[in-house]
Amino acid sequence: MMAALGAAEVITQLESAAKVLMAPPSMVSSEQRQQAEHVFLSFRKSKSPFAVCKHILETSKVDYVLFQAATALMEAAVREWILLEKSSIESLRAFLLTYVLQRPNLQKYVREQILLAVAVIVKRGSLDKSISCKSVLHEVGQLISSGNPAAQTLACSILTALLSEFSSSSKTSSIGLSMEFHGSCKRLFQEDALRQVFVMTMEVLQEFSRRENLSAHMSSVFQRWLALANQVLSWNFLPPNLGRHYIAMFEATQNVNLKPTESWREALLDTRVMDLFFTVHRKIREDSDMSQDSLQCLAQLASMHGPVFPDESAQVSYLAHLVEGLLGMINGIEIEDSEAVGISNIISNLISMFPRSTLTALPSELFSSFINCLTLLTCSFGRSAALEEVLDKDDMVYMEAYERLLESWLTLVQDEQHFPRGCFVQPAVQVFNSYIQCHLAAPDGTRNMSANGVASHDEEEINELQEDDRELFSDQLCSIGMMGRVAADHCIPLLTSLLEERVTRLHGQLQRTQQHLLASSDPGSVDRKVLDDLYEDIHWLILVSGYVLADDPQGETPLIPSEVMEFSIKHSTEVDINTTLQILGSPGEKASSIPGFNRTDSVIRLLSAVLRISEVESRATRASLTELLSPQMGKDIVWFLRRWAKTYLLLDEKLYEQISMPLSTAFGADTEGSRWIVGYLLEKVMSNLSAWSSESELANETVELLVTLVEKRERANLVVQCEGWWSLAKQFANRSPPLHLLSSTVQRSLMKALVLGGFAHMDSDTKQQYWAEVLHPLQQRFLNLINQENFAALSQEEAVKQEIVATLEALCGIAEATQIDNVAQLFSFLMDFLSSCIGLMEVYSNTPETVNLIIEVFVEVAHKQICYLGETKSMKLYEACLTLLQVYSKNNQCRRRGDASAEEDQYQDLLLIMELLTNLLSKEFIDFSDTDEVFRSQDQGASAPRSVSAADVVLYGVNIVLPLMSQDLLKFPSLCNQYYKLITFICEIFPEKIPQLPEELFKSLMFSLELGMTSMSSEISQLCLEALSPLAEHCAKSPDKDTPLCMATQHFLKLVFDMLLLQKHNTEMTVAAGEALYSLVCLHQAEYSELVQSLLATQRDAVIYQRLSDAFRQLSASSSPPTMDRKQKLAFLKSLEEFVANVGGLLCVK
Amino acid sequence: MADPDLDFTTAESGASATFPMQCSALRKNGHVVLKNRPCKIVEMSTSKTGKHGHAKVNLVGIDIFTNKKYEDMCPSTHNMDVPNIKRQDYQVVNITEGFMSLMNDSGDVREDLRVPDNDIGKEIESKFEAGEDFMVTVICAMGEECAIATKMMTSGK
């Protein structure tokens, strides 16, 4: 379009389009706007626009047009690179730079765009070495030495543009070059040009730091150079020989640590560099924007590591210099708010990056001043963070800084053995005390107190999505817990006495409130302030106690922390074990009322203090004061007890080098103490479940405590000996109040716990009796119900529906209890139900909530059990699932619903069905059942002929799902993902089944793949591409080339070909698309050649034609003839990348 | 419910329109009465006032007859009314003046139900005019009834 017009006309057209775009929205119609946008888009795509663009830049006065011209130049230069003469590129670059130099008053965004074009040209040129950075840097050097602020600013902008262009590979798709190209450009740049930039920057900063009284203008130039210095020091140095995938991964890391190559040694180990940044910071620290940069530069220097250090002593003296500089900077100043995060970053970097041996090699005085300084800073940031919380500030800078320092403490104390003995104890005491102080109300603490000492108290609305403090602050609590262990001598007794004191206060306050309530009939007159303050104190004390006493490692057996164990051992000679047990066993009494109360084991005493709180709570619920209690505190208590029980209850002496007598006497196997505490915990669970059925989170955590008690066999053995356990089991089996009030998730977990308990060690009579009380009533009630003659007629009665729902929920709970050693029994039990459930599907075909729950039962059973099942059992489950799906399909095929929730219900069903199918498929890659061992006793000699396979069920399921998967339903992201995951799985695992599908199903599967490839998210597109290779490979194996699948793959060849070559696509998809393309090319070589020929035939330009045909030849050279061979495939992928880099841009041009 | 040998056959007579349930025991996809209307619960969440406050349940429900949306919030310890919902399938044997003649499993015919004034209603009429054999699902709650779905007759049942 543009070529036909003269330059002047082009300018007129662009300027009027720019006018439209810049006009206020009310002045132009959206068509006009679209048209104007189109003008620019096609302008930027025009061929060889160099002359026109230069002309525009020189004559137009419209900034936006200038901007577009610069963009068009940049895009065209990259696109037509191989067609351009090297000299004309060089002159283009020179033109752009001179252009900017001569026009100091250009709009900022125009100037930056032109500089970006320069940077892109320089970078592209470095590939074929047609342009070197040197000449650009030379020109920059001249600008700097001119001393003119405008020139210096421009110099800085040029360098900034170069750095951002070379620093990353993430812009790949914008200039269509491979990751490897970006990588090698970057390596080249960081070895040489970057260091020159650094040296220049240091010189400029040096110059600025010497000047007194900077003018506002100079100060803004200063700021730009400081930001540039930060950019250099934050350079993510690319190590040599990093593969393409790793480059992407490497660059995705956020906090970049400074790890320069050896060649940087001289530049960075010069102490003047570090001194300069300390000086600069001192100079500008009151300017919050600039101080961010100067502190970040220091933080980067504090993270320096790697080959830049010649030896350890160099590292030690570097660190010593850094620490001295830092202490010099902090001491004697009042830290600005804007400095907090930066300073904490410096400290956190140096602690995490320098080896312990380097830290300990510091002169001991310097090291202890550093630790002192860190301690004071931590406490002070902690207090400021608490103030921020009171003021409810949006920007919590001190909180961030505080957390970073606490994290650093954690790193330090975890490596305690490397440091002088005991050197962290005093700091730990101080940090711990200040944390406790900030979290307790006056008079012990300063919680909720603003700077002037006034306490504030407000009640905000909290929704369920808001995280509990113990998750929200888990990092802080982890560090504080660790500090508490380091200073256990101080911290554990402190927590105990603070808690015990609050037990007394809470008890008294509840009594007073009760009397007040008796006297006045208005419950609204109760002042909750005192109670809430107590609850909040107790809340934090329990959280901290939990974190001090135990860890919560996922999936491992938690051990008693060695510090806690040692602490208990150290004092065991002063301890009277009987008094300790007496205090433990009497949670209803005041600890200090027991004679000899100060000769107790402190670790047990801390648990006892929490039990006392728990006892006050339980008694209050019995006195009908539940209304006054805090569910939050209730949660804290069961959370603590659960964490404690996992670690301490029935501790296994074999796991410890040394063991504390008091702990093993109180909580070891076969002890009075452990029996007592299990009984107590069960009582607590019962009490909570009846008092707190309305608080679902609390009820949930309570059942989780119960699950913890029975999920390990040793604990379960003890639990089932308790009276309380049996009565709980009976109550639940009878669905008697109050357990039936619990929410469905709680009921499931309760069922799970009861089933797990059934596998504890009991004599056979007892065991039989147990199952007779727990599982059999469930079965009996269910069978009685559904075997009634008129069950179909009764099925809609509310009582019947509730019974059915409760049974289905219980089945899910039973499935959840599956473990490798009980799967045999549970599977047989559940299988009986599954066939009845299919009957229920018929009866409740018009009751969507029930249908949904029935499918969920199957999902759970498949999810928990399929991986353990041997062939015969799997077959049974497959058959059951198949029947379920058949019934579902029959009931929904000719059914139309008109109610509002119809779509939502169907969405939920389909999601579950796909989950079920995916679970069944998972058998193909997770299978623990190779010998059918768990079932040996039952399965003897039974090897029935394999009637149904996972593939059959899954394909049948897909058959049901596919026709129902409307485009509308695919708009639900989770459904869409699950669907494509499923079909990709199928293509990968059973490619041989695909050609056997019924025609309609086959067609819709292929259509789904095409739809997913072309019009869904890139993630789904990738999944679909991954599904193509196995299909093509399967076709290649079969001699028959006329199959529908073979034809379909031919169609996909064209799709993938176009996608890779003609459309702009996401580079991360190149690999998946390339693999798919290769497999398809192998299969359809002739068709591929045709595609290439017809593409070439459309090229009119002889030069382009030649380039393209060369590129295609090179592409196939590495793999000719193409075969399904891994080596060849890899070679093809590599050439494909070069191909896309070289001619990808050409093909995209219209 | 406490009696494990509860005889469900007697449940039919005297069944009330609603029954109470503790708020926390309600479930998503279940039903509840909001603003005196039987609703399907489409959203259920909890909140509390202050960290140590007690849970409140926020409910969003859709009227099963009118598709109107209702919201309510109440302390989780309180009881809410849950409507007794019945769904029954009938064969459509005739339509006269906007009323359907519906036959149940046991061959009893009722003629008191209108063809609903919506898409399903149109579907019912066009199926009937086309002479198809088909069933409708009638939902019934709190004294109100309405046809909400159609289903082709399946041979086995």
Side-chain angles (χ1 to χ4, degrees), chain A residues 561-623:
Chain A
S562 57
E563 297 88 347
V564 176
M565 185 66 96
E566 276 162 31
F567 166 67
S568 174
I569 292 171
K570 195 169 82 181
H571 296 280
S572 56
T573 52
E574 313 147 22
V575 161
D576 183 314
I577 189 71
N578 285 328
T579 320
T580 306
L581 290 178
Q582 206 184 339
I583 289 203
L584 174 67
S586 58
E589 284 165 53
K590 219 171 161 171
S592 58
S593 70
I594 290 162
F597 66 91
N598 46 16
R599 294 190 55 207
T600 49
D601 176 87
S602 297
V603 179
I604 300 178
R605 182 79 176 268
L606 182 51
L607 166 72
S608 311
V610 178
L611 292 182
R612 282 176 163 67
I613 298 275
S614 155
E615 189 60 19
V616 172
E617 186 198 32
S618 300
R619 289 183 182 195
T621 61
R622 287 200 289 273

Side-chain angles (χ1 to χ4, degrees), chain A residues 359-401:
Chain A
L359 277 169
T360 48
L362 289 177
S364 68
E365 233 166 86
L366 183 62
F367 181 70
S368 57
S369 326
F370 173 63
I371 293 298
N372 277 341
C373 172
L374 178 55
T375 310
L376 293 177
L377 215 52
T378 310
C379 297
S380 138
F381 284 180
R383 281 189 295 273
S384 306
L387 274 180
E388 277 175 345
E389 279 206 299
V390 176
L391 299 176
D392 210 8
K393 282 197 178 172
D394 288 336
D395 200 9
M396 307 269 278
V397 290
Y398 283 107
M399 188 58 94
E400 194 185 337

